[in-house]
Amino acid sequence: MTNATSALRTSVTIDELIASAQELSLAGRWPRALRLLDSAVPDDPADRARLARAAAEVALESDWFTGSEIAGPRLETAAELLPADDWDLGFARLRHTYGRLLVVDGALRLGPEGKDPEVLAGLRRQARDLRDGAPDEVRGGWASMYLGLITDNLFADLAAAPAHYTAALAAGESGPDPLLAREALRHLGMHDHDGGNHERALERWRRATALGAGAGLVAGTLSQQLLLAVVARATGDEAGARALAAEVARWAGAVGAGRLHAQASGFLDGVDPTAAPPVREEPVG
C-alpha cells in the first residue's frame, strides 16, 4: 500500500498505518490521525474498508472529546465498504448512537426522559447481541462495557450496571486491554463515589489514571485527573481539588478537549461533574 504526497511516495503496511493513526487519536491528535488515514491509497478493497473503519473510530473519539460532529459521515463511508455483519462497524455504530442519546445540544442528558423508549430498547438489544456474538473476549468486554453504560446512563438502572462493568474489567485484565480495564474501573469508581465509598473510588480511579497514561490516552487521562479532584473535594481537600482541576482545565484547553475543559471549569465553579442532573418538578394542576 502507498502513502502519497505531491513529492513523496512511501510504502507502509496497513497494520502499521492504522496503529499509528490510533496512537495519534489516543494522544488527542484527531485531525492528524484522520489526515494520515485519508492520505493512504490502497489498491485492495479490503484495505480501503479497514482504513474507513479506522477513520470512523478516530472520528468517534473526536466527537466525544471535542464536540465535533464528524463520525456520522465517516460511519456511512465505512458501511459502504464493509459487510453488513462486520462486528467492529456494528460496535462503532452503537457508540455513535449512545453518544448522540447521551449528549444533547452539547450537554449531558442522563436517563430516559425525553428519549424514544423503542430506540433505547433497540440500543440495549444491540449491545447484548454484540456481546454475545463478539469474536473474542476483549471485544465482548467492550460490548459489556457499553451495555453497562446504556443501562446506567440511558435507562438510569444504577443497580444493574455494575455487573456489566465488572465483566468488562475481567475481560480487560485478562485480554489484556488496559483501555478497557481503565474504562471499567472509571465507572465502577463512579458507583463507589455515589455510594459514599470514597476510599475505594480513589483506589479505582488512581488505577484507571495510570492505565490510561500508560496507554498514551491524553484526554482520557485528564478526565481521570478531574475525578481525582472530585474525590479530593468530597474528602475535604478543597485546595487540592481546585489546584488539580485548574491544571486539568488548562491542559484540556491546550489539547482541544472542549467538553473536558468545560467540565473542569464547571468544577471550579462548584459543579460536580459526576452528579446526576436535578429532577425536574412536574407542574401541578
Side-chain angles (χ1 to χ4, degrees):
M1 187 192 64
T2 59
N3 181 312
T5 69
S6 59
L8 175 69
R9 290 176 66 86
T10 60
S11 179
V12 296
T13 67
I14 184 73
D15 291 336
E16 187 67 23
L17 183 69
I18 290 175
S20 297
Q22 289 170 336
E23 290 191 7
L24 284 168
S25 181
L26 290 176
R29 304 303 187 188
W30 303 288
R32 184 172 293 276
L34 289 172
R35 288 197 299 271
L36 176 62
L37 293 168
D38 290 343
S39 71
V41 187
D43 297 323
D44 186 348
D47 285 347
R48 289 198 296 273
R50 289 183 63 193
L51 289 173
R53 186 175 60 206
E57 292 167 350
V58 170
L60 283 169
E61 294 297 314
S62 175
D63 283 2
W64 181 256
F65 284 109
T66 72
S68 62
E69 296 184 359
I70 59 176
R74 293 282 183 171
L75 285 167
E76 291 178 7
T77 298
E80 293 172 359
L81 300 172
L82 287 160
D85 62 352
D86 183 85
W87 191 95
D88 295 297
L89 177 61
F91 183 60
R93 284 173 156 167
L94 176 87
R95 292 175 59 198
H96 185 238
T97 303
Y98 169 77
R100 291 178 67 85
L101 289 169
L102 185 66
V103 181
V104 181
D105 296 329
L108 286 175
R109 186 176 295 176
L110 299 174
E113 183 180 356
K115 299 166 187 175
D116 188 333
E118 292 187 6
V119 172
L120 295 180
L123 190 65
R124 184 157 61 180
R125 281 195 303 272
Q126 184 185 357
R128 287 173 175 157
D129 290 344
L130 286 166
R131 179 197 61 189
D132 296 343
D136 54 62
E137 182 182 10
V138 167
R139 279 185 277 192
W142 275 110
S144 290
M145 185 69 227
Y146 270 79
L147 183 54
L149 293 172
I150 292 163
T151 301
D152 215 348
N153 296 330
L154 297 182
F155 282 89
D157 188 351
L158 307 186
H164 300 303
Y165 300 148
T166 299
L169 178 60
E173 290 180 330
S174 65
D177 184 336
L179 292 175
L180 175 55
R182 173 251 178 208
E183 193 71 21
L185 287 166
R186 174 179 174 84
H187 289 275
L188 285 168
M190 290 278 194
H191 282 264
D192 294 332
H193 168 69
D194 292 345
N197 192 340
H198 302 305
E199 182 176 348
R200 192 173 187 188
L202 181 60
E203 177 188 351
R204 281 176 162 157
W205 284 347
R206 280 175 171 167
R207 281 188 62 202
T209 304
L211 286 169
L217 182 64
V218 172
T221 299
L222 291 179
S223 70
Q224 281 301 130
Q225 295 279 13
L226 184 58
L227 292 182
L228 297 182
V230 168
V231 172
R233 174 173 285 172
T235 55
D237 184 8
E238 181 63 20
R242 292 187 63 81
L244 184 52
E247 289 308 306
V248 171
R250 189 194 321 276
W251 299 335
V255 302
R259 283 182 176 156
L260 179 56
H261 180 269
Q263 283 186 323
S265 299
F267 180 87
L268 291 169
D269 291 333
V271 178
D272 181 355
T274 69
V279 177
R280 188 176 65 185
E281 295 292 338
E282 295 295 335
V284 177

